[in-house]
Amino acid sequence: MNETEIHGMVAEVKEGKLSRRGFMQRLAAFGVAAPTAWHILDFHGVAQAQSLTAYKPTKAGGGGPLKILLWQAPTLLNPHFAIGTKDQEGSRVFYEPLAGWDNEGNLVPFLAAEIPSRENGSVSADGLSVTWKLKPNVKWHDGKPFTADDCLFTAAYAADAATAATTIGTYKDIKVEKIDDLTIKITFPKPTPFWADAFVGAAGMILPKHVFEPFKGAASRDAPANLKPVGTSAYKFIDFKPGDILRGERNPDYHIPNQPFFDTVEVKGGGDAVSAARAVIQTGEFDYAWNMQVEDEILLRMERGGRGKAIPVSSGNIEFIMLNTTDPWTEVDGERSSVKTKHPTLTDPAVRKAINLLIDRDSVQKFIYGRGGKATANFVNAPPRYVSPNMKYEFSIDKANKILDDAGWVRGADGIRAKDGKKLKFVYQTSINAPRQKNQAIVKQAAQRAGIDIELKSVTASVFFSSDVANPDTYSKFYCDIQMYTTTMLQPDPERFMLQLVSWEIANKENKWQGRNISRYSSKEADEAFQEAQNSLDPARRTALFIKMNDIFCGENILVPVLARTRMAASSNNLVVQPSGWDLDLWMLNAWFRP
Amino acid sequence: MGTYLVRRLLIALPSLLGISVVLFTVLALAPGDPFEEMATNPNIPPEVRLALRAKFGIDDPVYIRYIRWLTAMLQGDWGFSFASRVNVDTLILQRLPATIFVIGSSQILALAIALPVGIYAATRPYSIFDQIANTFAFIGFSLPTFFTGLLFILVFSIWLDWLPFVFRTDIDATGWRWYWEQIRQAIMPVMVLGLFQAASYTRYVRSAVLDVIRLDFVTTARAKGLGEKTVVVRHVVRNALIPVVTLVALQMPTVFGGAIVTEQIFRIPGIGSLLISAILANDTPVIMAVTFVFACLVVTFNLIADVLYGWLDPRIAFR
């Protein structure tokens, strides 16, 4: 499906020849996901469909307690300081953004009166500004009214470098103005096609100005409210013990009628994923648990005759292998894997292609991850609109052998191929994690049959993912031939995700290996595509550009995708939750209920 | 006695200082970063991570950080957790009740089993009772608590569905029901730890009693025509318990330090699980404080045991 076809279909929707639903379905047939389809229609000014939640109860309260188990427990409750999703989830029990993302990628209003769109004029045609109308009569838990000032404050608070907010990236470049008490206008420094970032989703939770004002900037970490939140959500704060338990009670003044259903909510932490799954699925002691990093086989066994079920939710996370094209074994100007060097063997495209053919993704999915992942040939796997149709994966030892034969790599007496005295011997590193080690073993075995010798290395996760400049084993230093990890995509827009593929983000000694491009591979074409996509207001064009970047890196076998990961949650059979792969697990806690 | 105490104290202080230096250096040299989760998240700019490191002083040289820590500690400031910005002493105090309740109960259970069984077995060595008790004791201390813990969960929570296996500090009940729930959730962890302890205590009590029971003064007591019961309780047990008391005193730090594995399995929010989660999060101030408190307890109870020894048995002179 190309740009012209999509534009033709958008025109049909506009003329009423094609229904919104029909449009989504047709795009779905081409593998374009609903969020994307929504975005395309929205861009062309076609009204947004009302997102429906299947909330049945006719009055608030009466549901008793809701018990949630987050085995990685929240340690603080300020969403703008969240280290990892555990803190965001904990904060989301009390705070709300203007809007959140549902599972289909539609924006659902929370503190916004309506979702801005091109049609109602609140998203400017030049892509430079967006105007949000706020919901009237919303009260903070302490009774003070929620107004535009709170939004302005939150943006200024997060953008202040001294605050050291983890959401600074979202707010530092935008300008937020107050039009009136219930209207704000966000101005972007350049045309911004993805305007739904600030005040939306996990990074968008709004803080009360009257509580946090004295704690902006350097004093930010001293605010008592970092541990005792005052929000606008369906549940009011009762008690919090970091790393252990978090409790809230029903907010009788909640701004959505008839919600929430449960009288109290409790988020308990500690333990591990397997026993959390057990407490929900097998014994029913808890109602919901998240982040089930458990082998699917174990989950399936628990589900048999249990009281709960596992819920897979698609996400943009990708488990992938990276092939180093720089030389990790030679030091140049105090750094290994320097862009000034070339890898002795991995720079040969034939070798990289052969390695790609030696990865048995289907087996990895079937025997290791189960419902937890889906084999893929693409780096970008969601939302479906951004997924390249051009990449295919295959597992074939014969083909790999043939490619290497043709390229002149000859097997030596030890069975290892070599050319010009250079042997195909690689070190393959990843973090310590049972599925990853199994994956390594599968790859090593297949490689052996193609005359490639792979030495396996596993680094403890706390080292591998650390930013310790002194440690040579971090993933961002990549002092190795091959490595594997998961990178996360938290927004239904790949712009930020794609920073991993541009040349100015290359991790090196100069930026203390803080750059996002760990592969160190760069392509002028990819750089240009990224810059154009950043400014392209036409979603179809933007999609094409991101797909192009994906195809450059995957086609060159620099990034060798393995699995698109799904988020797994566990829920008791008699609980209706509102899962979404594009927002937090607890993004719509207000609408959970028991039928 | 006075000089003995002073001397012991003078040895204890430098050893605590030495322990703190070693702990701090090891932690500082250990790899890892409290903000590592930010690394793979493309939505968080790396500057934030660097700013936070600078803000919390992680980038300073080790000796400066140590001196800063020591001066603060001497003024009673234990520092704050990097992860939650909560003061470490608050965190520890939050966790202490659960630890003392569970581990304390298990110690009591262990003694309640070990004393009668050990004494009875020793008075009838190689009888059937003794052999059974010995067998169970051997099984008991060769099975690690993480294994028995999982076994208990499997049997009592999953198959029989009698007991909850998630320990909760916020029981939603009042009056008798509260106590009942509290006991119900503590049964499994207390049993797991108690039985493990009981097994080793039993062996210890048995051999201590066996040592004493053949001594001359016991024979003399019997020859005076005292009843067997009186002989055992008055003369044997009293003397045999001296080493047992010392053993129990030395076990006291564990009561406060928590049982790391068991707390993790049953999700008891105690000191042990605080230490584990702090280690996983590379939350250095918390790790430092918890391990240091633990070191202090060990040193203190060693001191108490030394004094106790001298008081119980003056033959151990205060030289």
Side-chain angles (χ1 to χ4, degrees):
Chain A
M1 177 170 292
N2 60 30
E3 290 172 58
T4 0
E5 282 174 314
I6 295 181
H7 283 154
M9 272 166 44
V10 170
E12 283 180 46
V13 179
K14 271 187 171 171
E15 289 160 23
K17 285 185 198 159
L18 181 64
S19 69
R20 267 186 71 95
R21 170 172 266 190
F23 177 81
M24 302 249 185
Q25 280 168 352
R26 250 197 247 180
L27 257 64
F30 288 97
V32 177
T36 317
W38 167 80
H39 199 104
I40 296 177
L41 288 180
D42 170 70
F43 173 78
H44 291 282
V46 180
Q48 191 199 350
Q50 200 58 48
S51 163
L52 294 174
T53 56
Y55 186 74
K56 298 253 173 56
T58 50
K59 69 173 184 67
L66 171 66
K67 293 187 286 179
I68 299 170
L69 201 52
L70 302 188
W71 56 272
Q72 284 170 327
T75 47
L76 85 178
L77 297 177
N78 184 332
H80 297 278
F81 295 154
I83 302 172
T85 34
K86 62 185 199 306
D87 298 329
Q88 291 178 332
E89 299 282 1
S91 307
R92 190 63 185 80
V93 176
F94 307 105
Y95 293 109
E96 293 178 306
L98 290 181
W101 295 102
D102 75 6
N103 208 18
E104 263 102 62
N106 290 312
L107 277 175
V108 177
F110 284 99
L111 293 176
E114 60 182 21
I115 299 298
S117 69
R118 294 282 297 273
E119 195 191 36
N120 63 23
S122 40
V123 178
S124 72
D126 56 7
L128 283 171
S129 72
V130 55
T131 309
W132 287 90
K133 287 213 173 354
L134 312 185
K135 207 171 189 178
N137 305 323
V138 175
K139 284 198 177 71
W140 293 101
H141 291 158
D142 60 6
K144 298 247 168 48
F146 160 74
T147 69
D149 290 324
D150 296 310
C151 300
L152 262 62
F153 172 75
T154 302
Y157 175 87
D160 187 341
T163 307
T166 50
T167 49
I168 185 172
T170 301
Y171 296 95
K172 68 176 192 288
D173 297 326
I174 60 167
K175 206 175 102 204
V176 188
E177 285 167 273
K178 178 177 171 181
I179 307 290
D180 60 49
D181 266 356
L182 291 174
T183 317
I184 57 164
K185 184 180 174 194
I186 303 174
T187 316
F188 304 104
K190 54 179 193 265
T192 301
F194 185 68
W195 50 264
D197 182 20
F199 304 118
V200 173
M205 287 179 247
I206 295 166
L207 301 177
K209 184 184 178 189
H210 63 276
V211 175
F212 281 92
E213 200 164 28
F215 301 101
K216 185 174 166 287
S220 62
R221 304 261 154 182
D222 301 326
N226 290 342
L227 298 166
K228 291 186 175 69
V230 177
T232 55
S233 78
Y235 295 97
K236 278 182 163 178
F237 177 80
I238 302 180
D239 181 25
F240 174 49
K241 294 198 182 97
D244 173 23
I245 201 160
L246 167 66
R247 289 189 302 147
E249 61 184 352
R250 185 170 74 84
N251 172 6
D253 297 326
Y254 189 51
H255 55 82
I256 300 179
N258 302 337
Q259 288 184 3
F261 173 72
F262 295 98
D263 297 313
T264 57
V265 58
E266 158 193 320
V267 178
K268 165 86 181 169
D272 60 306
V274 180
S275 72
R278 199 168 276 147
V280 173
I281 300 177
Q282 237 172 348
T283 67
E285 251 178 85
F286 278 76
D287 298 310
Y288 183 87
W290 77 331
N291 200 358
M292 298 286 92
Q293 292 174 3
V294 179
E295 285 181 46
D296 201 32
E297 209 188 305
I298 299 175
L299 287 178
L300 286 170
R301 214 183 304 145
M302 285 183 191
E303 277 177 331
R304 247 172 268 143
R307 295 168 192 174
K309 55 188 184 285
I311 322 172
V313 183
S314 64
S315 80
N317 299 355
I318 170 98
E319 176 91 8
F320 69 109
I321 292 172
M322 197 181 261
L323 302 182
N324 200 347
T325 55
T326 63
D327 188 351
W329 311 115
T330 313
E331 196 171 297
V332 176
D333 298 338
E335 71 176 311
R336 284 155 63 185
S337 292
S338 155
V339 279
K340 289 171 202 150
T341 61
K342 269 193 155 78
H343 195 281
T345 52
L346 278 174
T347 28
D348 182 349
V351 175
R352 297 202 302 263
K353 197 170 176 193
I355 293 177
N356 192 353
L357 284 165
L358 292 171
I359 294 158
D360 189 356
R361 297 168 175 81
D362 289 327
S363 298
V364 171
Q365 181 191 335
K366 193 169 164 200
F367 299 111
I368 304 177
Y369 288 88
R371 291 171 292 178
K374 195 170 175 304
T376 181
N378 284 305
F379 189 58
V380 178
N381 289 280
R385 149 200 191 190
Y386 293 108
V387 179
S388 164
N390 313 319
M391 295 290 119
K392 299 274 176 293
Y393 68 84
E394 192 187 347
F395 170 61
S396 168
I397 293 174
D398 295 343
K399 274 191 188 165
N401 269 317
K402 186 164 183 306
I403 289 172
L404 291 172
D405 286 338
D406 293 348
W409 293 95
V410 187
R411 273 181 208 258
D414 51 1
I416 300 167
R417 289 176 187 271
K419 187 163 117 178
D420 308 330
K422 289 172 205 153
K423 286 190 167 183
L424 292 188
K425 277 183 130 167
F426 303 117
V427 177
Y428 175 15
Q429 73 177 10
T430 188
S431 71
I432 294 181
N433 164 314
R436 291 207 173 118
Q437 266 71 66
K438 287 187 187 170
N439 186 333
Q440 276 185 317
I442 290 180
V443 171
K444 182 188 164 92
Q445 221 167 28
Q448 220 158 22
R449 289 169 60 194
I452 300 174
D453 184 47
I454 290 185
E455 184 190 325
L456 301 182
K457 177 177 167 189
S458 39
V459 185
T460 171
S462 61
V463 172
F464 195 60
F465 295 114
S466 82
S467 58
D468 188 352
V469 178
N471 202 307
D473 288 329
T474 60
Y475 82 113
S476 61
K477 280 202 167 160
F478 195 7
Y479 285 178
C480 208
D481 304 299
I482 304 172
Q483 72 176 358
M484 174 170 70
Y485 61 94
T486 281
T487 181
T488 52
M489 175 171 172
L490 299 171
Q491 285 162 317
D493 179 274
E495 187 180 314
R496 225 171 257 162
F497 189 70
M498 284 298 187
L499 279 176
Q500 302 179 70
L501 309 183
V502 297
S503 61
W504 58 91
E505 279 288 333
I506 286 178
N508 56 28
K509 194 181 161 199
E510 231 164 82
N511 57 27
K512 291 187 179 161
W513 293 275
Q514 299 286 313
R516 290 266 172 236
N517 181 348
I518 310 294
S519 75
R520 278 146 208 162
Y521 184 80
S522 66
S523 133
K524 213 168 148 258
E525 271 184 283
D527 286 354
E528 282 166 5
F530 184 83
Q531 277 156 341
E532 195 190 332
Q534 265 189 316
N535 299 308
S536 173
L537 286 169
D538 179 346
R541 177 76 192 139
R542 222 167 115 80
T543 304
L545 290 165
F546 285 138
I547 286 178
K548 185 177 173 189
M549 292 179 78
N550 175 78
D551 291 359
I552 291 171
F553 275 75
C554 296
E556 281 288 327
N557 300 309
I558 302 300
L559 304 182
V560 183
V562 182
L563 287 174
R565 301 286 303 272
T566 33
R567 295 207 313 225
M568 277 286 205
S571 135
S572 65
N573 285 330
N574 65 349
L575 180 73
V576 180
V577 299
Q578 316 281 344
S580 169
W582 301 114
D583 213 319
L584 299 167
D585 279 39
L586 306 183
W587 78 291
M588 220 192 206
L589 188 61
N590 51 299
W592 289 21
F593 69 100
R594 267 190 254 274
Chain B
M1 180 81 181
T3 43
Y4 175 77
L5 243 171
V6 170
R7 210 169 57 211
R8 298 295 312 182
L9 270 173
L10 284 181
I11 297 172
L13 284 178
S15 39
L16 277 180
L17 205 66
I19 291 171
S20 78
V21 171
V22 171
L23 279 177
F24 204 92
T25 323
V26 168
L27 280 178
L29 295 179
D33 178 338
F35 310 112
E36 71 193 20
E37 261 193 78
M38 295 180 180
T40 45
N41 184 343
N43 290 347
I44 302 177
E47 303 95 82
V48 175
R49 212 154 38 123
L50 296 181
L52 279 172
R53 284 182 69 95
K55 192 168 193 160
F56 290 151
I58 303 176
D59 291 329
D60 298 338
V62 181
Y63 67 91
I64 292 189
R65 285 162 59 195
Y66 176 72
I67 293 168
R68 207 190 293 141
W69 177 84
L70 190 69
T71 35
M73 197 73 176
L74 289 176
Q75 291 158 6
D77 174 8
W78 296 38
F80 56 85
S81 151
F82 287 158
S84 61
R85 190 60 177 85
V86 176
N87 286 339
V88 174
D89 43 358
T90 320
L91 275 181
I92 292 180
L93 285 179
Q94 260 174 13
R95 303 297 188 109
L96 211 53
T99 299
I100 292 184
F101 169 55
V102 174
I103 321 281
S105 315
S106 69
Q107 289 284 332
I108 293 172
L109 175 75
L111 285 175
I113 295 175
L115 285 178
V117 172
I119 294 168
Y120 193 77
T123 49
R124 286 161 190 74
Y126 309 107
S127 65
I128 295 196
F129 179 84
D130 185 32
Q131 305 220 5
I132 292 176
N134 272 330
T135 314
F136 273 105
F138 277 122
I139 295 175
F141 63 71
S142 40
L143 289 178
T145 49
F146 69 82
F147 176 78
T148 38
L150 287 178
L151 197 73
F152 272 45
I153 288 179
L154 211 63
V155 174
F156 295 108
S157 291
I158 292 167
W159 287 352
L160 299 172
D161 202 8
W162 287 350
L163 300 169
F165 73 92
V166 176
F167 192 95
R168 298 172 41 196
T169 38
D170 68 315
I171 289 169
D172 203 13
T174 43
W176 287 110
R177 244 189 77 82
W178 187 87
Y179 287 104
W180 171 233
E181 288 290 322
Q182 197 75 6
I183 291 170
R184 232 165 67 91
Q185 67 175 358
I187 290 177
M188 281 201 293
V190 168
M191 292 286 267
V192 166
L193 282 169
L195 293 181
F196 181 74
Q197 281 287 354
S200 51
Y201 282 171
T202 306
R203 293 286 304 163
Y204 207 82
V205 171
R206 180 181 176 271
S207 66
V209 172
L210 266 182
D211 275 348
V212 177
I213 211 161
R214 303 203 190 286
L215 294 181
D216 290 346
F217 75 90
V218 179
T219 320
T220 316
R222 281 216 183 86
K224 280 197 296 186
L226 289 176
E228 185 62 23
K229 209 171 147 192
T230 327
V231 171
V232 171
V233 173
R234 282 263 182 84
H235 296 265
V236 177
V237 173
R238 213 166 169 182
N239 280 284
L241 278 194
I242 295 173
V244 176
V245 166
T246 324
L247 183 79
V248 174
L250 288 180
Q251 279 289 332
M252 287 315 278
T254 359
V255 176
F256 293 94
I260 293 172
V261 176
T262 320
E263 285 185 11
Q264 194 68 5
I265 293 174
F266 293 101
R267 287 189 166 76
I268 300 166
I271 307 278
S273 66
L274 178 69
L275 183 60
I276 284 257
S277 57
I279 289 173
L280 289 178
N282 286 306
D283 200 346
T284 335
V286 180
I287 308 176
M288 190 62 207
V290 174
T291 43
F292 189 65
V293 167
F294 201 73
C296 289
L297 286 171
V298 171
V299 171
T300 316
F301 278 98
N302 255 309
L303 197 69
I304 294 177
D306 279 345
V307 175
L308 218 61
Y309 244 154
W311 176 69
L312 281 173
D313 191 347
R315 280 174 302 175
I316 304 164
F318 302 124
R319 267 183 231 111

